[in-house]
Each structure stands twice: as structure tokens, then as C-alpha cells.
Amino acid sequence: MPTFKLDGREIPFEKGDTIIRAAHRMGIDIPHYCWHPGLSVAANCRMCLVEVAPPPGQRPLMLDILAWDKEKNDYVVTRKPKLQPACQMGVVENMEVKSEASVEVAKARAQVQEFLLLNHPVDCPICDQAGECRLQDYWLEHQGTKKRMRDEPVHKPKGVVFGPTIVYDAERCIVCTRCVRFSAEIAKDPVLDERERGNLTEIVVSPGRQLDHDYTLMTEHVCPVGALTSSDFRFKARVWFLRSARTLCTGCATGCNAYLDYDPRTMTPYRHRPRENMAVNQYWMCDEGVLSYHRLTERRIHEPRIGGQPTTMPDALEKVRRLFAGAAKEQVAVVLSAQHSSEDNFALYKLASTFIGTSTCFISGKPEGKRDEILIHQDKNPNTAGVRALAPQARSFDDLLESILAGRVTHVIALGSDVPGDPALLEAPLAKLKALVTLASHDGTLTRAAHVVLPACAWAEAEGTYVNSRGMSQKSERAYDAKGLSRPAWDLIARVGEVLGYATSWRKLKEVRRAMEPEEAAAGT
Ligand code: SF4
Ligand code: SF4
Ligand code: FES
């Protein structure tokens, strides 16, 4: 691979690389605002300026400048190297670039930084970006001086509602155009643009439009300062109090990699944001996925229920034992869930196939929905492929209803509360069951019809593996402990097995995973 030198260090590069991209790949940060690895180059902020040595035998590019001469007590004409934007300058072999090692670059960065802050309001104490703002970070790293301008700063519109999810503050905006480019290039909806010139420039929404495509929250995500704020997160939390877990979005079968930011003091989730994975979601998530973290606190089930009434775990398990006592194995079925992790599904499938001795299994999950050509998948379940690999013979939910109506299935253990069909049409068939035990994290059709409900952890409360629509097996970390009596579904299944007289061997997640290994190898997942 060809290389160039950055501050004396050999950096490999690929054809077409710019200086900043090659450095970024090596984990070296060249300060930048307008550059984003997933967007086109605008080169408008000038924060990434670097000094480039000329090829051997060629004259360096120089600029005539006026510099203050203390001895002469006057300005004198002198020269300095012409700096180049690292985000736009392509690399060639043996090029020599100075970033941290150049005095001129350090001066330029401090000046760019001072220029960007000339009219910037001192909003930091009430700004949602505080703690993760580039202007704050780079002031400390590259400027560190007090403001010299004594004039009244230019005032611009604040609190402008761009759409249902985004509020804009033109005074904080550094006009890097990342949001404009994101909307045009990634969301394929050029709904944002700039108006005016110079220090009056601001970002506007196209006349007659709102910022309302399916990826509006990514404009806030790419904004390097606090100019675009999300209505959802605005004024809710200070980021330095939050911790991040490396989770997955369970909003659809794409399986976007995400960070779930939560407050560890209250175990409260506050936001979901993309985690880079070039093979899955690159740098992005859709709005529905970003906002899907609300499900962690909505319609939750945190206690066991018998006939819809809260009860204790021992009483609920005793009820399960009585309901299944004497049930004919051929009439017992399990319902796997494409909403749950592979570990949860494996535990239930194993209980059914190995211990209870039934091979009758069905698959449930959310109904299909909207799709697009960017990220959004029509399958609104994160683990359909994982369940299919585990139990290829699993039949549809409609088949379950038919089997119940025909009297072939009378006892069911179901994972998850979501069903793919119209809930109103399910009431009559489900009411015919002699026993329906549902292990679920959320209230839904299968919990409302259940004789016994056992409270399961939601995806961010337990580690789990999910297989996305491309067959990629991905792990989601546990962010925090579940509230109430909720347990990981695989653990609840082990307890159900015990009361039914089929002791399973797993007590820890790693034991479930160890048991899964041979099956995964056979299925090739
Ligand atoms: S709103 Fe943010 S992303 Fe958009 S131009 Fe201004 S600073 Fe850049
Ligand atoms: S595309 Fe699917 S997985 Fe990705 S963020 Fe949206 S809902 Fe979540
Ligand atoms: S990053 Fe803005 S000019 Fe290069």
C-alpha cells in the first residue's frame, strides 16, 4: 500500500483518499467541523488546515501576508506557507504533511476557532450539546484565549421549529452544511439549504416544507455544535451524567448498531444514537429506530400476573405447573418470537424439543411495515433470521390459530407479546386454549390473553444475539438491570422447565451460549 508522511509518521492510503480520510482510518484526528466520513466534502470551515511540503524540486506554495513587527512598530510584508484543507486535499505517495507539528497550522486553527466564536452566543450552560460540542473541545485544544471582540454579536433566529423532531438555533450554527448535505445525500430529500451571506448566513427549510423525512434526527446527530437539537432529547439530561451501552436497534431486521445512553443513577434511558458499522448501518439510524428506546419504559410488565392480576413469582410458577399437569405432549406448542434474542428463543425451543418432547412450534412477531432503499426494512422484527435458523420448521402464527381452532393445540408457552395479525381476530382462538403462558417484557395481545404472564427483560436489560436480514449475527450489550421482577426470558424458561419437571442445565447466559454453539455451527449462523 502506498504511504505518505503525517507529522513524520508513515500513513498508508487508498486511491482517492484525502489527507483527513487516510488519517481518520488510522485513528488520527485532524480537527474538523464540516467534514464527515459519510458525506461529500464541503471544505467550508477551514479547521482542518495542514501544511503540505512541495514535491522534491518544486517551489512551495507561499502567501504574502502583513505581519506586525514589534521592533519597527509597524506591519511588514512577509510570507508564510499556504495551508491546505486536509478534507479536500488528495494524498499522493511520499507527500509530507504537517498537522500538529506546524506552527503555522496551530496559528491558523486558533484563528479559525476565534472567528467561529466571534458571534457565537455563550449558551453553553443551557445547550444540549454541552459536553460533546466541538466548539468547546477545540477552543480548549486549539485556542484557549478570551474573546477579543467587544461589539454586540450578530443576532439571528433562535428556537426555530424545523419539523416535528428538530429545533434550530441560527446563532449557534457555524454553517458547516453537514445537515444540508445529509438531507440531500443520505436521506435523498434536499429539504435544507443556506440563505444570506457572511455572518448573516443561516440554514432554512425549503418553502412550504418541514424537515420531516425518515432520518431527521441524523441532522441533529451530524451537527457538530448545538445548533440543531432534537425535540425528544432537548433539555432532558446533561450528557456527562450518561453512560453508553453498545446495543442494537430492534426496530427492524436491519439491526442497526447503536449506543443506548442512560443515566446509571436512575436506570433511565435518554437517547439512542448510531454506532458506526460500515457493513450494516454505516453511520446512520432512522428516526423510528432512534426513538424506539422509548419502548424500554412504555407498556412494560415488571411483575408476574395470573389472569391479569399481579402476583408473586412462586405463585405464578405454581399456576404454570397446575395448568400443564396432565397435558398431552402432542397438544403442547411453543411460540418463538422474532422480537427476542437467539438465546431466549433457543432456551424455549430446547425446552420444547428436548424436554417436553413436542416439535410443534410457531413463530410470532410484529407485522410487516414500511421499507426504503436506505436502511428501513419491512420486517419489523430484529431476529427473524435467528429464529428461522434455529427452528426452520416453525410455522406461521396463522397456522397456530388454525391448530387451536381444530383442537390440535390446547397448551401454549409463548415468548413475546407481539403478534403479526389483527389482535381483534385473535381473541376467540386464544380464548379456546386451556393454558397460555406468556413470557414477555411488554403488554400486548399475547399477555392480555394469557392465563399466566412472566415478566421478561427488554433488549437493553439483558445481553442477547440477533441475526439481521443479511444473516449477520450481532450482539447487544446489557445497559442496566431490569426493574421489578423481570428476568431474562431464557432464565424464566429455565424456571418454567423446573416446575414442569424438566431441569435445564443453564443458570448463566454463558451456559446458554455454550449449549447453542453446536446448533449454530450446524445452522451456519
Ligand atoms: S445546523 Fe449544525 S450541521 Fe447544520 S450547518 Fe449549522 S452547524 Fe452545521
Ligand atoms: S433501520 Fe431498522 S434497525 Fe435501523 S434504526 Fe431504523 S428501525 Fe432501527
Ligand atoms: S473540515 Fe471543514 S474545511 Fe476541512
Side-chain angles (χ1 to χ4, degrees):
M1 206 177 213
T3 61
F4 72 105
K5 274 197 177 148
L6 178 63
D7 292 335
R9 183 174 161 189
E10 291 284 345
I11 308 288
F13 68 93
E14 291 172 8
K15 192 166 177 268
D17 268 352
T18 53
I19 297 170
I20 207 168
R21 188 174 285 281
H24 178 75
R25 196 179 298 117
M26 293 296 288
I28 300 169
D29 185 50
I30 294 178
H32 58 276
Y33 288 105
C34 69
W35 182 73
H36 186 287
L39 301 175
S40 65
V41 172
N44 60 25
C45 75
R46 315 315 268 185
M47 192 62 193
C48 67
L49 291 176
V50 289
E51 194 176 327
V52 179
Q58 287 189 22
R59 280 192 306 153
L61 273 175
M62 301 296 281
L63 273 184
D64 289 335
I65 58 161
L66 282 176
W68 182 252
D69 188 323
K70 268 189 191 165
E71 285 181 8
K72 290 188 182 154
N73 199 28
D74 200 358
Y75 285 99
V76 292
V77 177
T78 179
R79 311 191 86 201
K80 71 164 196 172
K82 186 171 183 332
L83 305 180
Q84 306 292 336
C87 66
Q88 198 174 39
M89 184 86 182
V91 269
V92 290
E93 193 149 21
N94 300 326
M95 187 183 222
E96 286 198 27
V97 180
K98 284 188 198 166
S99 171
E100 301 297 320
S102 162
V103 178
E104 292 300 337
V105 167
K107 269 198 240 165
R109 284 177 188 165
Q111 286 158 1
V112 169
Q113 185 61 30
E114 183 176 12
F115 173 73
L116 290 176
L117 287 175
L118 277 187
N119 290 302
H120 195 82
V122 191
D123 269 357
C124 303
I126 54 140
C127 178
D128 291 291
Q129 192 84 2
E132 52 187 12
C133 175
R134 291 274 172 97
L135 284 171
Q136 291 181 336
D137 295 346
Y138 288 164
W139 178 87
L140 199 64
E141 288 169 31
H142 303 290
Q143 185 186 358
T145 54
K146 285 189 183 165
K147 187 168 177 171
R148 289 185 290 170
M149 189 177 90
R150 290 284 166 259
D151 294 346
E152 181 70 13
V154 175
H155 291 294
K156 294 200 255 186
K158 292 175 90 70
V160 184
V161 176
F162 269 9
T165 58
I166 296 290
V167 178
Y168 174 63
D169 184 319
E171 289 188 345
R172 296 179 188 164
C173 177
I174 59 167
V175 203
C176 70
T177 69
R178 275 185 176 193
C179 55
V180 177
R181 283 173 285 143
F182 175 84
S183 288
E185 295 164 14
I186 308 295
K188 311 287 182 213
D189 182 9
V191 64
L192 297 180
D193 210 337
E194 297 159 78
R195 53 168 269 178
E196 294 293 351
R197 287 282 185 274
N199 60 14
L200 295 179
T201 313
E202 63 183 273
I203 302 300
V204 287
V205 183
S206 298
R209 278 289 314 272
Q210 283 197 315
L211 177 59
D212 58 2
H213 50 66
D214 288 327
Y215 296 84
T216 58
L217 289 165
M218 286 301 96
T219 60
E220 182 268 344
H221 179 68
V222 296
C223 182
V225 300
L228 293 179
T229 49
S230 131
S231 315
D232 181 58
F233 184 67
R234 212 169 139 80
F235 306 133
K236 298 264 171 63
R238 306 306 329 208
V239 295
W240 49 86
F241 289 129
L242 303 182
R243 298 285 173 277
S244 305
R246 298 159 63 86
T247 54
L248 297 174
C249 176
T250 55
C252 79
T254 302
C256 292
N257 291 212
Y259 287 110
L260 180 75
D261 293 342
Y262 63 98
D263 190 330
R265 299 168 301 175
T266 55
M267 303 295 179
T268 309
Y270 277 97
R271 64 176 183 183
H272 223 182
R273 60 194 166 92
R275 180 159 54 90
E276 179 182 328
N277 185 332
M278 296 311 285
V280 182
N281 51 311
Q282 299 192 339
Y283 311 95
W284 321 118
M285 283 174 80
C286 73
D287 285 355
E288 209 173 308
V290 171
L291 297 175
S292 68
Y293 79 90
H294 283 294
R295 285 197 73 229
L296 289 167
T297 50
E298 289 167 356
R299 296 193 298 108
R300 288 301 306 275
I301 292 177
H302 289 305
E303 74 289 307
R305 294 178 188 171
I306 296 177
Q309 296 305 312
T311 186
T312 63
M313 193 66 90
D315 284 356
L317 290 170
E318 172 56 22
K319 180 74 178 174
V320 173
R321 190 191 63 74
R322 278 190 273 127
L323 283 171
F324 277 78
K329 286 181 179 178
E330 323 70 70
Q331 291 184 315
V332 175
V334 296
V335 179
L336 305 174
S337 172
Q339 278 286 313
H340 273 256
S341 68
S342 294
E343 288 82 351
D344 293 350
N345 280 291
F346 172 82
L348 183 55
Y349 183 65
K350 267 293 171 219
L351 179 75
S353 60
T354 314
F355 299 114
I356 302 177
T358 177
S359 56
T360 317
C361 65
F362 301 88
I363 179 168
S364 74
K366 288 189 177 174
E368 288 196 347
K370 179 178 178 172
R371 69 179 290 273
D372 68 16
E373 299 300 316
I374 305 167
L375 286 178
I376 302 172
H377 200 284
Q378 75 267 20
D379 178 1
K380 299 301 167 192
N381 300 291
N383 201 22
T384 304
V387 178
R388 288 266 167 238
L390 175 70
Q393 82 284 16
R395 286 153 56 201
S396 71
F397 202 79
D398 283 347
D399 286 350
L400 170 69
L401 299 179
E402 198 187 304
S403 300
I404 296 171
L405 289 172
R408 291 193 297 275
V409 168
T410 55
H411 291 67
V412 168
I413 304 175
L415 189 56
S417 54
D418 295 302
V419 290
D422 179 356
L425 301 177
L426 307 181
E427 276 174 28
L430 293 178
K432 281 183 71 99
L433 285 171
K434 290 183 183 158
L436 172 59
V437 174
T438 304
L439 305 94
S441 52
H442 291 78
D443 209 3
T445 308
L446 288 180
T447 54
R448 286 193 286 276
H451 298 96
V452 178
V453 175
L454 298 176
C457 291
W459 88 96
E461 298 159 353
E463 256 183 67
T465 310
Y466 298 81
V467 184
N468 73 3
S469 59
R470 294 192 198 162
M472 297 166 72
S473 176
Q474 306 188 94
K475 293 209 168 14
S476 184
E477 268 179 14
R478 182 179 67 85
Y480 49 79
D481 290 335
K483 295 201 169 89
L485 296 174
S486 301
R487 302 286 311 150
W490 59 262
D491 183 58
L492 293 172
I493 292 159
R495 292 177 192 213
V496 167
E498 262 169 40
V499 295
L500 296 183
Y502 312 111
T504 52
S505 59
W506 49 77
R507 296 285 173 275
K508 294 182 181 154
L509 179 70
K510 65 180 178 191
E511 291 167 355
V512 181
R513 286 188 170 160
R514 205 173 299 136
M516 286 169 71
E517 276 165 18
E519 317 244 343
E520 284 181 338
T525 55

